[in-house]
């Protein structure tokens, strides 16, 4: 329930709704799209990435000298969790063709395709398989399937959305494989939303010029992830899943190939050595770094571990200077702060309006532009609505959806949204939601080519951990697509390559070299990475944990 | 700015919520009244390893059993979605075991026989409705089980769609049915075999295989920034 003092503003939203509805129904533009110049300006003045302290130069590793997101630079300029001298690398616990690090969508797709291509493999994951960003995506997955659409138009949309910085070969792979991915998922039994003719229901998304967003109600990610996980579990003889065992450092061999990983058993606190002919990093994103103190939509394990592992071994990063904030995160009620309000709400006609009930931006500008506009509305223009704890947000007028498409649309197409608010006695079919941008997606990552190869032999990356697919700004629906396209590609490539790989002697020398580089750069720090889990223990509690020992964030 | 739904240090300084007593694993702690069970545990000093995943009600990792004050009933819920109550007793449980029968979806028929073979225990449902009563997603669990028993896979798939596979229903089931696994099988059968398929997807997949877009793609890949940017600005946009 909204507090009483918000009633007046809520009334205004109601009062302006009929007029807004009329324009929406007329088929005319409900709000002018910004020109390239206007977009640039609002980004420069209001997007968090453009704040002076948001970037800093990294002083070690493959991207040395480049400006990247400060929080990521801190993470990379940290010590390893382990001392290489402590490990006897001749004592191997697991020997495998392919190792998949990460149990989200990219990891699961990679595992299934590696298996199909003859590999036996291990999937190691920090949390349970599937308890990942992949389970949470709601809005949809892009694929150019309709007759008025094509992979070429999809290519143009994705390139433009990413401000033309994406790697062409990756965007080609993304858009070309997309229909095949939908077909593959359908064949595995994913239930997509269909029209009465059996064609897919498709919607517009931010930055798409065609209706290309496929969905499974607003549980799209869950619908896909549940099926992929089920299918992985159908092959225990070929795919061994090891849960609650994060990778903490890659292993290499004396020929410079990546050769597996060190796993840390979160429960028994033992380290285990996995030797692998091909290693795939599929560890997802970094929302739990809480960049610029933003709340996040990401799962508990989204701490950029894979970036640290790959970077320490010598792989390079691409576009780690661009953070994706999602324009619509919940700011009220407190308990769901940061919770993602899927873009589909705007895709279905929901409009962002200010405290006066005015629409102030085209609802589906690219995400970074939409985000910057929300921040402008709440700061410079002072048209936001304050919450009882001093946060501020704008309304997302969901009742408009019902007015446009008929009663029951929300409960049918947005059951997860409806349920989430209903728990706090807000009926979003009758009242709008209060939203503010939230930290959502890691646009960049470890650079790959269209076979998911990195510059290190034996190391492949897929999914949110990779960089280059989305340039500096990902469009909604392209990352669920990404983890399927590149997860599959990584699995195939890793399995095929593994047939020929001859591994040499295992080593952790790259960790020693990295430590040396930190020292030479004069970096003195007590930071340790990968951090594995975020640190949510209060200082008051810590001050009483007199004999506890913290390794980085972990007790 | 940061206000994650977690009990981070920053946030607790600004939280002015009243403190209330809750019992976590039998021990009494004072926690702000507006926290969820999950953030209350972190506030109390727990560092979660198991029992936390999405933190948004989508993954089912955080099943918790609890009892409210003055109530004999044992309740279950998602720790990330349930707000604490004064004097509640909370116990976090690890998840229900993940192992399940294996099958080859390509070999199955979309009929009751598949379910009978792979999850025969479904037929033993006692219609006690315990599952429906505990489901945190408010799913009509018993109804989908009954649909399965009748071989109505479309209904099973539809009713169970929002299941997050948390396992609470299975823990309560006197017939030892693993509702959520069976339901997933039902949805896969429906998605693969029963839902009507339109022609667009198949056609596009064929076109791509035949290389229809390859030349255009190569051109786009070679185009310089300016050309791309112009074509991007000029592209027509399908209306909503
Ligand atoms: C709330 C939400 C909504 C979204 N909605 C959409 C949408 O509508 N459309 C869209 O296209 N995209 C959406 N996205 C983005 C998309 O879901 C993700 O980008 C994508 O799922 C990432 O998949 P992934 O497999 O790379 O990573 P994840 O699914 O996050 O998987 C990462 C895995 O790696 C594991 N891991 C992490 N560190 C380690 C380690 N050190 N060792 C071993 N394992 C490790 C984790 O436990 C996890 O299993 C959304 C994201 C969120 C958070
Ligand atoms: S049906 Fe069972 S497993 Fe699924 S959400 Fe409900 S209680 Fe959880
Ligand atoms: S709890 Fe078990 S026996 Fe009871 S209705 Fe549900 S499925 Fe049937
Ligand atoms: S942590 Fe995923 S449902 Fe609670």
């Amino acid at each position: 329930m909204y507090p009483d003092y918000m009633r007046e503003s809520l009334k205004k939203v109601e009062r302006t709704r009929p007029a807004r509805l009329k324009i929406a129904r007329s088929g005319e533009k409900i709000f002018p799209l910004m020109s390239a110049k206007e977009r640039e300006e609002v980004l420069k003045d209001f997007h968090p990435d453009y704040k002076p302290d948001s970037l800093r130069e990294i002083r070690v590793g493959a991207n040395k000298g480049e400006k990247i997101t400060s929080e990521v630079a801190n993470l990379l300029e940290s010590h390893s969790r382990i001392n290489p001298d402590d490990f006897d690398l001749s004592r191997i616990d697991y020997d495998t063709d392919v190792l998949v690090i990460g149990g989200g969508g990219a990891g699961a797709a990679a595992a299934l395709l590696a298996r199909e291509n003859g590999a036996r493999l291990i999937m190691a994951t920090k949390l349970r398989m599937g308890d990942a960003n992949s389970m949470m995506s709601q809005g949809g997955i892009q694929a150019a399937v309709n007759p008025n659409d094509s992979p070429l138009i999809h290519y143009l949309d994705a390139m433009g959305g990413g401000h033309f910085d994406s790697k062409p070969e990756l965007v080609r792979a993304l858009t070309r494989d997309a229909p095949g991915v939908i077909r593959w998922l359908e064949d595995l039994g994913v239930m997509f939303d269909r029209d009465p003719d059996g064609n897919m229901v498709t919607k517009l998304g931010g930055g798409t010029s065609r209706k290309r967003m496929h969905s499974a109600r607003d549980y799209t990610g869950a619908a896909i992830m549940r099926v992929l996980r089920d299918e992985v579990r159908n092959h225990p003889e070929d795919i061994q899943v090891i849960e609650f065992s994060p990778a903490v450092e890659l292993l290499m061999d004396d020929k410079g190939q990546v050769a597996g990983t060190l796993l840390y058993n979160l429960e028994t606190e033992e380290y285990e050595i996995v030797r692998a002919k091909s290693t795939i990093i599929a560890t997802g994103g970094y929302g739990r770094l809480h960049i610029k103190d933003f709340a996040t939509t990401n799962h508990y394990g989204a701490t950029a571990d894979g970036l640290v592992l790959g970077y320490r071994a010598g792989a390079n990063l691409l576009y780690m200077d661009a953070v994706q904030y999602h324009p619509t995160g919940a700011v009220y009620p407190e308990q769901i702060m940061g919770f993602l309000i899927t873009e589909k709400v705007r895709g279905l006609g929901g409009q962002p309006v200010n405290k006066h009930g005015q629409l102030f931006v085209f609802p589906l500008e690219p995400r970074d532009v939409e985000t910057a506009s929300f921040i402008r509305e709440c700061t410079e223009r002072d048209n936001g609505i304050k919450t009882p704890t001093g946060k501020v947000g704008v309304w997302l007028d969901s009742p408009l959806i019902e007015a446009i498409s008929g009663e029951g649309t929300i409960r049918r197409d947005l059951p997860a949204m409806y349920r989430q608010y209903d728990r706090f006695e807000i009926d979003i079919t009758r009242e709008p939601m209060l939203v503010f941008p939230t930290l959502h997606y890691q646009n960049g990552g470890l650079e790959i080519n269209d076979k998911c190869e990195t510059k290190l032999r034996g190391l492949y990356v897929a999914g949110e951990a990779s960089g280059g697919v989305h340039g500096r700004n990902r469009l909604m629906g392209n990352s669920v697509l990404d983890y399927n396209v590149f997860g599959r590609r990584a699995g195939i490539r890793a399995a095929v390559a593994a047939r020929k790989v001859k591994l040499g002697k295992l080593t952790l020398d790259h960790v020693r070299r990295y430590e040396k580089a930190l020292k030479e750069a004069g970096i003195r720090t007590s930071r340790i990475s990968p951090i594995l889990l975020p640190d949510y223990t209060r200082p008051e509690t810590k001050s009483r944990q007199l004999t506890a020992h913290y390794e980085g964030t972990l007790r | 700015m940061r206000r994650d739904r977690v009990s981070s240090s920053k946030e607790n300084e600004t939280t002015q919520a009243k403190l209330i007593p809750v019992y976590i694993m039998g021990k009494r702690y004072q926690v702000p009244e507006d926290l969820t069970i999950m953030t209350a545990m972190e506030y109390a000093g727990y560092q979660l390893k198991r029992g936390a995943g999405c933190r948004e009600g989508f993954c089912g990792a955080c099943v918790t059993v609890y009892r409210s004050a003055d109530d004999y009933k044992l309740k279950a819920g998602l720790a990330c979605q349930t707000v604490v109550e004064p004097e509640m007793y909370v116990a976090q449980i690890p998840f229900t075991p993940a192992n399940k029968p294996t099958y080859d979806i390509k070999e199955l028929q979309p009929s009751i026989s598949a379910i009978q073979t792979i999850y025969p225990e479904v037929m033993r449902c006692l219609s006690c409705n315990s599952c429906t009563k505990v489901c945190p997603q408010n799913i009509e669990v018993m109804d989908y089980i009954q649909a399965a028993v009748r071989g109505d896979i479309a209904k099973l798939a539809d009713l169970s769609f929002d299941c997050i596979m948390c396992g609470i229903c299975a823990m309560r089931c006197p017939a030892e049915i693993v509702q959520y696994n069976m339901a997933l099988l039902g949805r896969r059968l429906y998605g693969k075999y029963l839902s009507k398929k339109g022609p667009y997807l198949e056609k596009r997949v064929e076109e791509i295989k035949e290389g229809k877009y390859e030349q255009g793609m190569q051109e786009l890949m070679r185009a310089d920034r300016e050309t791309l940017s112009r074509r991007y600005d000029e592209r027509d946009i399908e209306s909503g």
Side-chain angles (χ1 to χ4, degrees):
Chain A
M1 247 178 9
Y2 290 111
D4 282 342
Y5 75 86
M6 290 185 191
R7 289 285 141 211
E8 194 189 331
S9 179
L10 281 165
K11 279 259 148 52
K12 287 184 182 160
V13 177
E14 260 170 47
R15 243 177 274 140
T16 59
R17 193 174 295 138
R20 287 183 286 115
L21 174 65
K22 204 164 148 207
I23 302 176
R25 278 208 178 124
S26 73
E28 277 164 45
K29 272 265 158 309
I30 54 170
F31 201 88
L33 270 170
M34 282 188 219
S35 69
K37 186 147 170 292
E38 283 171 307
R39 282 183 182 174
E40 228 165 79
E41 273 168 13
V42 70
L43 285 175
K44 190 162 75 28
D45 293 341
F46 297 98
H47 196 279
D49 279 354
Y50 294 74
K51 288 243 168 76
D53 61 343
S54 66
L55 301 179
R56 79 167 174 87
E57 209 171 276
I58 172 129
R59 292 169 287 176
V60 287
N63 292 68
K64 188 171 165 175
E66 208 176 289
K67 284 197 158 184
I68 63 173
T69 303
S70 305
E71 288 81 355
V72 177
N74 289 343
L75 193 74
L76 296 175
E77 291 180 0
S78 300
H79 298 292
S80 174
R81 301 195 79 83
I82 56 126
N83 176 359
D85 298 340
D86 294 342
F87 288 82
D88 173 4
L89 298 179
S90 64
R91 210 207 68 212
I92 288 158
D93 298 289
Y94 301 96
D95 218 346
T96 182
D97 298 333
V98 175
L99 164 69
V100 179
I101 305 176
L112 291 174
L113 268 288
R115 177 189 165 271
E116 264 177 41
N117 284 274
R120 290 174 64 89
L121 59 138
I122 285 179
M123 174 195 275
T125 158
K126 181 163 63 183
L127 304 173
R128 296 189 310 175
M129 190 198 340
D131 296 349
N133 284 3
S134 298
M135 194 61 96
M136 306 165 75
S137 65
Q138 302 153 16
I141 170 169
Q142 289 199 41
V145 168
N146 290 341
N148 71 347
D149 198 0
S150 84
L152 305 177
I153 306 177
H154 189 179
Y155 183 99
L156 210 51
D157 284 347
M159 266 293 179
H163 308 312
F164 307 101
D165 290 326
S166 316
K167 278 176 80 166
E169 63 181 290
L170 299 183
V171 184
R172 170 183 175 269
L174 184 80
T175 56
R176 184 189 174 281
D177 286 9
V181 157
I182 302 287
R183 182 80 184 67
W184 177 64
L185 293 172
E186 173 184 274
D187 219 42
L188 284 169
V190 174
M191 281 171 62
F192 287 106
D193 297 336
R194 292 170 191 278
D195 65 20
D197 296 330
N199 290 310
M200 302 290 184
V201 173
T202 47
K203 300 242 151 58
L204 288 175
T208 71
S209 65
R210 291 290 183 280
K211 293 185 178 165
R212 188 187 296 134
M213 201 66 64
H214 296 61
S215 54
R217 304 189 191 170
D218 59 351
Y219 285 99
T220 311
I224 297 173
M225 188 68 234
R226 288 179 311 213
V227 168
L228 294 180
R229 177 171 64 189
D230 193 54
E231 195 51 27
V232 168
R233 286 182 183 154
N234 272 340
H235 303 288
E237 66 297 345
D238 297 327
I239 309 174
Q240 184 180 357
V241 181
I242 308 176
E243 294 179 328
F244 295 101
S245 295
V248 297
E249 222 52 89
L250 293 178
L251 290 169
M252 297 189 72
D253 73 358
D254 51 7
K255 304 182 212 165
Q257 309 181 89
V258 171
T261 196
L262 292 179
L263 296 181
Y264 175 60
N265 182 326
L266 280 176
E267 272 137 350
T268 67
E269 295 166 29
E270 289 166 286
Y271 285 90
E272 291 180 310
I273 294 172
V274 183
R275 180 167 67 183
K277 293 178 178 152
S278 297
T279 300
I280 302 173
I281 289 181
T283 50
Y286 64 13
R288 292 281 157 186
L289 299 183
H290 292 294
I291 292 164
K292 293 259 153 312
D293 272 351
F294 268 82
T296 185
T297 59
N298 285 195
H299 83 287
Y300 189 45
T303 51
D305 301 351
L307 298 190
V308 177
L309 265 57
Y311 197 73
R312 241 182 228 140
N316 66 303
L317 300 166
L318 208 54
Y319 303 134
M320 286 313 294
D321 54 357
V323 181
Q324 182 164 91
Y325 298 89
H326 193 293
T328 54
V331 269
Y332 185 89
E334 290 287 307
Q335 292 87 352
I336 58 167
M337 182 72 63
F339 175 78
L340 179 75
I341 313 302
T342 170
E343 189 174 298
K344 197 170 157 194
V345 172
R346 283 170 290 142
L348 287 166
Q351 296 180 352
V353 296
N354 61 23
K355 68 177 175 196
H356 306 299
Q358 297 155 334
L359 177 64
F360 57 89
V361 62
F362 182 70
L364 290 169
E365 291 279 1
R367 281 194 177 162
D368 47 356
V369 175
E370 193 82 9
T371 290
S373 307
F374 281 26
I375 296 177
R376 174 172 66 189
E377 203 65 20
C378 291
T379 54
E380 187 186 70
R381 294 183 177 170
D382 195 21
N383 280 334
I385 299 92
K386 294 217 169 44
T387 74
T389 50
K391 308 293 181 301
V392 60
V394 296
W395 297 116
L396 181 57
D397 193 12
S398 45
L400 193 62
I401 296 173
E402 301 260 301
I404 293 171
S405 305
E407 237 172 83
T409 309
I410 288 183
R411 296 199 70 166
R412 186 183 66 239
D413 290 346
L414 300 164
M417 292 297 110
Y418 179 83
R419 180 175 286 125
Q420 190 64 262
Y421 278 87
D422 188 48
R423 286 185 173 124
F424 300 99
E425 291 170 44
I426 293 172
D427 178 355
I428 61 167
T429 65
R430 308 174 52 171
E431 288 186 317
M433 313 177 220
L434 197 59
V435 298
F436 191 77
T438 172
L439 173 54
H440 188 48
Y441 187 77
Q442 173 184 303
N443 288 313
L446 293 162
E447 180 171 3
I448 54 169
N449 64 15
D450 63 2
K451 298 190 193 75
C452 298
E453 293 162 335
T454 60
K455 66 183 233 192
L456 299 178
R457 260 187 303 150
L459 182 65
Y460 307 83
V461 184
E464 198 167 336
S466 75
V469 184
H470 310 287
R472 291 192 157 84
N473 180 51
R474 170 195 64 114
L475 299 182
M476 171 191 159
N478 274 350
S479 47
V480 170
L481 177 60
D482 168 348
Y483 82 62
N484 280 289
V485 166
F486 294 99
R488 286 168 51 89
R489 283 179 174 241
I492 297 169
R493 191 65 205 150
V496 171
R499 292 178 203 150
K500 293 213 186 97
V501 172
K502 292 261 173 320
L503 291 177
K505 195 162 165 281
L506 296 184
T507 147
L508 283 165
D509 276 347
H510 56 287
V511 177
R512 293 191 181 91
R513 276 197 301 275
Y514 198 85
E515 288 291 336
K516 200 160 148 248
L518 287 174
K519 204 162 168 195
E520 280 167 9
I523 297 163
R524 291 228 186 107
T525 174
S526 58
R527 289 188 304 262
I528 287 181
S529 67
I531 65 170
L532 306 182
L533 293 175
D535 183 8
Y536 293 145
T537 309
R538 293 180 305 141
E540 296 91 301
T541 308
K542 282 189 178 174
S543 72
R544 286 194 297 268
Q545 293 171 328
L546 294 173
T547 57
H549 170 68
Y550 277 83
E551 276 305 314
T553 57
L554 278 198
R555 191 143 86 214
Chain B
M1 186 100 44
R2 154 141 165 215
R3 179 56 171 82
D4 185 73
R5 290 149 290 111
V6 296
S7 50
S8 73
S9 45
K10 273 196 186 116
E11 135 186 342
N12 288 318
E13 281 157 24
T14 56
T15 296
Q16 264 129 48
K18 201 172 99 208
L19 296 180
I20 57 166
V22 298
Y23 294 83
I24 300 171
M25 309 287 191
K27 247 184 124 205
R28 189 178 162 102
Y29 296 90
Q30 294 282 337
V31 303
E33 64 177 351
D34 60 357
L35 298 184
T36 59
I37 292 175
M38 180 173 286
T39 51
M41 288 181 73
E42 288 173 337
Y43 184 94
Y46 280 77
Q47 183 169 54
L48 302 176
K49 287 180 181 167
R50 286 189 178 253
C54 67
R55 304 175 72 109
E56 292 198 350
F58 281 90
C59 77
C62 61
V63 173
T64 301
V65 291
Y66 63 94
R67 210 170 249 145
S68 302
D70 305 323
D71 192 351
Y72 65 93
K73 285 190 202 118
L74 194 59
K75 302 180 187 165
L78 302 174
C80 71
Q81 297 297 307
T82 311
V83 179
V84 290
E85 312 159 359
E87 306 282 344
M88 84 194 296
Y89 256 86
V90 173
Q92 244 214 341
I93 47 167
F95 48 90
T96 49
N99 51 344
K100 59 159 211 110
T102 61
Y103 53 83
D104 183 349
I105 189 90
K106 292 194 289 295
E107 304 284 304
L108 296 179
Q109 303 283 328
S111 70
I112 193 164
S113 69
I115 290 169
Q116 271 169 337
T117 319
I118 297 167
Y119 295 108
E121 62 279 7
V122 169
M123 303 300 151
R124 296 203 303 257
C125 171
L126 310 166
S127 306
C128 69
N129 211 29
S130 303
C131 46
T132 303
K133 275 190 264 175
V134 292
C135 177
Q137 294 285 86
N138 299 326
I139 292 169
E140 298 291 338
V141 189
M142 184 179 82
D143 293 357
Y144 80 59
I145 294 292
Q146 291 301 326
V149 170
R150 292 193 308 272
D152 186 348
I153 291 180
K155 182 108 197 215
L156 160 64
D158 181 52
L159 287 179
S160 70
F161 198 89
D162 298 356
C163 167
I164 57 171
M165 305 185 74
C166 67
I168 299 179
C169 52
M171 289 188 306
R172 278 302 180 94
C173 178
E176 313 283 355
I177 294 167
V178 185
Q179 293 89 336
Y180 54 94
N181 277 340
M182 190 281 298
L184 179 55
L185 170 64
R187 289 194 302 278
R188 290 188 65 180
L189 290 172
Y190 184 82
K192 183 174 174 63
Y193 295 110
L194 298 175
S195 64
K196 185 174 168 194
K197 312 282 188 298
Y200 297 162
L201 178 60
E202 204 53 54
K203 178 143 182 278
R204 182 55 44 81
V205 171
E206 275 313 306
E207 285 173 356
I208 291 171
K209 219 187 268 163
E210 288 159 7
K212 175 165 175 196
Y213 301 102
E214 210 37 51
Q215 202 191 333
M217 199 60 99
Q218 294 302 329
E219 266 168 39
L220 281 171
M221 287 169 68
R222 276 195 305 269
D224 57 23
R225 223 183 160 89
E226 226 168 285
T227 318
L228 270 184
S229 172
R230 186 173 34 83
R231 288 189 58 179
Y232 180 73
D233 287 340
E234 285 168 7
R235 78 207 201 289
D236 61 313
I237 296 181
E238 184 173 4
S239 65

